[in-house]
Amino acid sequence: MEDLLSKRRERAAAAWALREELVLIGSGPVIGVPGGADQTYPFLAHVEYLWLAGHEVADAVLAFDPRDGWTDFIPPVTQAERVWEGRTDAPGTPLHELGGWLAARRGRPVVTLGAAIPGIAGDGIRAAALREQLMHLRRPKDSHELALVRKACEATAQGFRALVQALKAGASERELQVELETAFLRGGADRTGYGTIVGIGSHAGVLHFSPGDRRAQSGDVVLVDAGAEVSRYTADVTRTYRLPGGDDGFFRALHAIVLRVEQNAISRCRPGAEWRDLHLAAAHEIAEGLVSLGLLVGSAESLVERDTHALFFPHGLGHMVGLGVRDASGYLPGRARSTRPGLSMLRTDLPLEPGYLMTVEPGVYFIPALLQDASLRERHRDAVRWDRVDALMEFGGVRIEDDILVTESDPDVLTASIP
C-alpha cells in the first residue's frame, strides 16, 4: 500500500506542477447527531484525503510542499477515545506541529482541498483548478481499487440472491431491504454504498425511493437499486422484478427493451467513446422501443430531438463509480451542463478511458409528476398516446444497472453474476 500511495502522490504532484504553493488536504471532522448527546455519525474521510493518505483519521491534514514533499499531520488520540472507543495512535506527524510547518513557510500561497480546515482559508479559484486535476487523476482505477470494487460486487451479488429468495407476495419493501443488506454484510461488506432503493408498484417509478411499509402483491413490479461497500469502494446495481400474477406481457416487453438498451450501451463502453453519445444512442433506442409499444408516435430521431423520451427516461445513462457511488463523475473541462431536458441530468460528459468504472443504467418510468404536468402534455400532445400512458400511471418503472470497467478491449461487466 505504501508503494501505491507513493505513486498516487507522485502523479498528483506532477499534475499540479507547483513551485511555491502549499496544498493542505483536510480529512474532515466527526459530525455529531443534532440533539443526540454524545452520538456521532459514522466518520468518513473526504475522498481527496483518503485517496492520497490511505487511511481515515478525523481532523487530520495532509500537507504538500513541492520543495519538501508530503507530511501527514495526525491529531492525538485522547484518553477518552482510548477508553470508550479503543482507539490507538495512527502513524504521522502530530497535528500541533502544523502551525510550525506553516510558520516556516510564511508568505507562500496556500490552497486547501478536501474538507474545510478550521482557521485556514485558501485560494478558492486555485482550489477548484487543483481539485479538477486531482479528480481526473482518480478516474482510472488502480489495481488496489479494482480489487476492492470486485469484493463489493461479490457482496452485492450475495445480497441480490437473498433478495430473490425473499421476493414473495406479502413481503414489504423494508423486509426486502433487510434481507438484501444482511446478505451484503455476510458477504463481507462494511455497509451499503448509498441508501438502498426498494420500490414496489408505483414506487418503482420514484427514482430515489426510500423503502417503506408497502407490501408486494401478485403482479407488482419491484425495483431494487443497491450496492455493498468494502473499504469505501462501492458497487451500484439495479434489477427490476415482477411477482407472478395477471398478464405479464407488458412488463416482459418493456423489460426486454430496457435490457437490450443496456446491453447495447455496455458494448459501446470502449476507450475514446463519448459518454454523451452513448446516452443519446440509448435515448434513441428507448424512443424506438416506446414507439413499438404504441406509447409514442413518430421517429426516434424526432422524439429525441424534442426530448419526448425524457418524459420516460429523465436521467442520464449512468456515471462513474468506485470510491463512492458517483466517484469522480463530472464534465471534461470546458464543457457545460446542457439545459435540454434530455441532457440536463447527465452526471458525466467526457470520453471514456481504460480503467474508468462506469454504471450503465437505462430505465423507463411512468412518473405522475412528469406525465401529468399540463405544460409537458401540451408540448408533447402529438407525440404521446396519452390514453395508453394514463392507463399505466401506477405501473412504476423498469431500470437495469451494471458496473462496467472500460478496458483496452471488451468492456468488463463486474456485476455480471447478478442475473
Side-chain angles (χ1 to χ4, degrees), residues 128-185:
L130 299 192
R131 174 167 285 120
E132 182 69 34
Q133 291 171 317
L134 181 59
M135 182 167 64
H136 189 64
L137 284 180
R138 294 198 302 105
R139 283 172 175 150
K141 298 298 174 253
D142 58 39
S143 59
H144 178 72
E145 293 177 296
L146 288 175
L148 293 175
V149 171
R150 291 184 188 278
K151 290 181 180 179
C153 290
E154 292 170 3
T156 301
Q158 290 196 39
F160 274 87
R161 284 194 288 270
L163 171 86
V164 170
Q165 295 299 314
L167 192 55
K168 301 174 182 177
S172 72
E173 294 163 339
R174 181 70 68 200
E175 289 167 350
L176 294 173
Q177 176 191 15
V178 168
E179 294 300 321
L180 177 83
E181 294 183 2
T182 299
F184 283 176
L185 298 175

Side-chain angles (χ1 to χ4, degrees), residues 231-292:
S231 298
R232 294 291 302 277
Y233 284 82
T234 187
D236 184 0
V237 176
T238 305
R239 295 291 185 265
T240 309
Y241 310 93
R242 183 184 182 277
L243 273 67
D247 183 3
D248 65 354
F250 179 76
F251 174 81
R252 285 183 177 274
L254 183 59
H255 191 280
I257 288 169
V258 175
L259 180 59
R260 183 168 63 251
V261 173
E262 192 219 21
Q263 291 171 337
N264 289 341
I266 289 172
S267 71
R268 300 182 183 114
C269 288
R270 296 178 181 275
E274 286 283 355
W275 189 250
R276 178 182 290 225
D277 292 344
L278 269 63
H279 171 81
L280 288 172
H284 277 83
E285 292 172 1
I286 286 175
E288 289 173 348
L290 294 176
V291 169
S292 73

Side-chain angles (χ1 to χ4, degrees), residues 336-356:
R337 183 179 293 273
S338 173
T339 58
R340 280 183 54 184
L343 291 172
S344 62
M345 294 307 295
L346 279 183
R347 297 186 187 277
T348 299
D349 185 6
L350 41 68
L352 300 182
E353 296 183 16
Y356 283 13

Side-chain angles (χ1 to χ4, degrees), residues 58-76:
D59 299 312
V61 176
L62 180 62
F64 175 63
D65 181 340
R67 300 174 186 173
D68 301 324
W70 300 81
T71 306
D72 204 350
F73 292 98
I74 302 294

Side-chain angles (χ1 to χ4, degrees), residues 378-391:
E378 174 61 22
R379 186 182 309 165
H380 302 283
R381 63 185 183 278
D382 59 338
V384 180
R385 292 290 302 273
W386 290 109
D387 55 335
R388 298 185 180 184
V389 169
D390 287 341

